[in-house]
């Protein structure tokens, strides 16, 4: 009888252990919305990193839940505070981040890319003319002609019959005289009669040689700059253009190191909205995200520079000395070997990610 009770006790201990092993709490992972790596659409979580983490958790016999944060710093801070088992998205493996958290083996090779807004070529000539510099030059020229004509009218109205006019008629004919003097050298039959009038005419003729040259040079240089607006072939061509990126990102650090000015945004959605509104000329950010956006949106027309700057590996961030580190690395290797990883890459990025 005692032997039978011992047998039942052993069996009870064995079977009671199985539910405890199978009822492990789900893994909790922090993430941030970064299509095509992670997205939360109406409560449905999707993306390459999300699906990859689900595959890893499945291989480990665990469920996994995701909590979305508004920014990378908030996501990584939650990991440092011990709120999650890990974090996953397009997290670049850097020495600065490695000092705070541990990383798995790389899950994707990315890098920094440049996405350019392609303007409609049909209106490029008109847009080249409608610039602030040319508008200022035109207003200044008209003001000078009107002012000199008004001065000549005051000097000659009692001596030259052409200027003997009053009101708007006199103002217009004075302006017309100044315009013809500068452009055509004036009219022989409308030569100023007073000494001061003739001196003013000489000054206008001589100065017009310089003023016309400056005016033409201003228009020519401005139109040349506008015509070359789309000729951006490298990161160095972004100098003086309206560039956007994400604040506190590796892209922002990259631009800082190159002394390129930019506007920093808190989220890609805000940045792309500014691009679509035509208030940015270029976006510098993770190349896979820019490529995905460019292919998914036909408007506005964009083009991605073929070069990848500062190649980066993305990894799964884990708390220091996490017991999951070795398990995740081994699982990643198995997923690569059995083809699951390659299928995920192809489904989200095509055959040439």
């Amino acid at each position: 009888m005692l032997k039978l009770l011992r047998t039942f006790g052993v069996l009870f201990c064995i079977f009671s252990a199985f539910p405890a092993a199978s009822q492990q709490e789900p893994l909790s992972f922090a993430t941030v919305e970064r299509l095509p790596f992670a997205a939360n659409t109406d409560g449905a979580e999707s993306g390459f990193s999300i699906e990859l983490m689900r595959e890893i958790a499945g291989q480990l016999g665990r469920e996994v839940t995701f909590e979305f944060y508004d920014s990378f710093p908030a996501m990584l801070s939650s990991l440092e505070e011990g709120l999650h088992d890990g974090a996953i998205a397009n997290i670049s493996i850097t020495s600065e981040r490695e000092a705070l958290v541990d990383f798995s083996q790389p899950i994707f090779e990315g890098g920094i890319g440049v996405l350019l807004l392609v303007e409609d070529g049909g209106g490029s000539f008109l847009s080249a003319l409608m610039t602030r510099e040319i508008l200022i030059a035109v207003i200044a020229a008209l003001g000078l002609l009107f002012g000199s004509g008004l001065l000549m009218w005051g000097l000659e109205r009692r001596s030259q019959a052409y200027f003997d006019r009053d009101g708007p008629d006199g103002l217009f004919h004075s302006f017309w005289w100044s315009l013809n003097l500068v452009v055509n050298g004036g009219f022989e039959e409308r030569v100023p009669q007073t000494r001061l009038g003739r001196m003013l005419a000489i000054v206008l003729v001589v100065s017009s040689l310089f003023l016309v040259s400056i005016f033409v040079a201003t228009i020519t240089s401005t139109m040349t700059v506008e015509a070359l607006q789309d000729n951006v072939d490298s990161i160095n061509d972004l100098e003086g253009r309206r560039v956007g990126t994400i604040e506190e990102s590796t892209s922002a650090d990259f631009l800082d190191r190159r002394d390129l000015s930019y506007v920093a945004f808190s989220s890609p959605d805000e940045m792309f909205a500014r691009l679509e509104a035509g208030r940015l000329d270029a976006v510098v950010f993770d190349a896979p995200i820019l490529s995905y956006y460019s292919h998914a949106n036909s408007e506005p027309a964009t083009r991605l520079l073929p070069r990848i700057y500062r190649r980066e590996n993305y990894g799964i961030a884990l708390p220091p000395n996490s017991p999951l580190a070795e398990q995740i690395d081994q699982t990643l290797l198995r997923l690569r070997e059995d083809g699951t990883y390659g299928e995920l890459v192809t489904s989200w990025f095509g055959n040439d990610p």
Side-chain angles (χ1 to χ4, degrees):
M1 184 65 178
L2 183 59
K3 185 177 180 180
L4 184 60
L5 289 174
R6 287 178 178 175
T7 303
F8 276 113
V10 171
L11 291 175
F12 176 79
C13 291
I14 293 175
F15 284 107
S16 63
F18 282 105
S22 60
Q23 293 177 3
Q24 297 182 76
E25 290 187 2
L27 296 173
S28 174
F29 269 72
T31 189
V32 65
E33 190 145 354
R34 293 287 189 273
L35 272 172
F37 292 93
N40 186 11
T41 307
D42 299 327
E45 300 148 344
S46 62
F48 169 76
S49 296
I50 297 293
E51 292 188 12
L52 178 62
M53 194 61 233
R54 284 181 177 146
E55 288 287 346
I56 294 173
Q59 292 275 338
L60 298 177
R62 305 280 294 273
E63 296 291 330
V64 60
T65 62
F66 300 95
E67 182 172 347
F68 281 79
Y69 286 83
D70 294 332
S71 66
F72 259 58
M75 174 186 66
L76 295 177
S77 294
S78 72
L79 192 61
E80 294 177 50
E81 294 168 7
L83 301 180
H84 302 283
D85 297 304
I88 191 168
N90 58 313
I91 308 174
S92 299
I93 302 174
T94 65
S95 59
E96 182 180 356
R97 291 172 179 171
E98 184 71 42
L100 302 174
V101 298
D102 287 343
F103 281 99
S104 68
Q105 290 189 12
I107 63 172
F108 196 87
E109 183 183 9
I112 295 174
V114 179
L115 185 70
L116 300 166
L117 183 66
V118 178
E119 297 289 353
D120 180 12
S124 59
F125 180 78
L126 182 61
S127 63
L129 288 175
M130 302 299 292
T131 61
R132 180 173 178 271
E133 290 77 8
I134 291 182
L135 180 61
I136 292 175
V138 170
I139 292 176
L142 291 176
L144 182 62
L145 291 173
F146 184 81
S148 59
L150 185 62
L151 182 58
M152 184 64 73
W153 174 75
L155 296 172
E156 294 289 320
R157 61 178 304 187
R158 302 304 179 192
S159 303
Q160 167 62 264
Y162 177 82
F163 292 101
D164 191 14
R165 306 169 190 269
D166 295 318
D169 187 46
L171 295 177
F172 173 78
H173 281 79
S174 299
F175 168 78
W176 185 252
W177 182 88
S178 294
L179 179 63
N180 278 274
L181 179 70
V182 171
V183 176
N184 300 319
F187 304 99
E188 292 184 5
E189 68 275 13
R190 297 169 187 169
V191 174
Q193 300 299 311
T194 65
R195 182 174 298 177
L196 289 177
R198 291 177 178 178
M199 292 178 61
L200 176 60
I202 293 173
V203 171
L204 289 176
V205 171
V206 174
S207 61
S208 67
L209 300 175
F210 300 98
L211 294 176
V212 171
S213 299
I214 294 173
F215 183 73
V216 172
T218 300
I219 294 179
T220 303
S221 62
T222 303
M223 291 185 65
T224 301
V225 170
E226 292 294 326
L228 296 174
Q229 182 70 21
D230 288 335
N231 292 343
V232 177
D233 298 315
S234 72
I235 193 76
N236 298 322
D237 296 329
L238 294 181
E239 183 70 38
R241 301 179 192 273
R242 300 170 299 174
V243 178
T245 192
I246 300 299
E247 60 185 3
E248 299 185 59
S249 64
T250 55
S251 301
D253 177 69
F254 173 74
L255 291 172
D256 287 335
R257 292 176 184 273
R258 286 180 168 264
D259 292 326
L260 290 172
S261 60
Y262 60 87
V263 180
F265 298 91
S266 59
S267 70
D269 288 342
E270 184 183 0
M271 178 177 65
F272 288 134
R274 186 73 65 90
L275 181 72
E276 292 166 5
R279 297 169 65 184
L280 288 178
D281 300 316
V283 167
V284 178
F285 195 46
D286 291 27
I289 293 178
L290 298 183
S291 178
Y292 185 87
Y293 171 84
S294 183
H295 284 88
N297 297 272
S298 58
E299 293 292 337
T302 55
R303 66 182 178 96
L304 187 67
L305 291 187
R307 178 177 175 182
I308 302 297
Y309 295 89
R310 200 164 78 177
R311 290 189 175 274
E312 300 172 332
N313 286 317
Y314 304 149
I316 301 173
L318 300 165
N321 304 315
S322 170
L324 290 173
E326 185 65 25
Q327 300 176 49
I328 288 177
D329 282 346
Q330 291 180 4
T331 305
L332 278 170
L333 290 174
R334 285 197 298 269
L335 293 177
R336 289 179 183 273
E337 290 168 356
D338 66 17
T340 303
Y341 174 84
E343 292 173 1
L344 280 177
V345 171
T346 302
S347 66
W348 282 100
F349 301 98
N351 294 323
D352 186 16

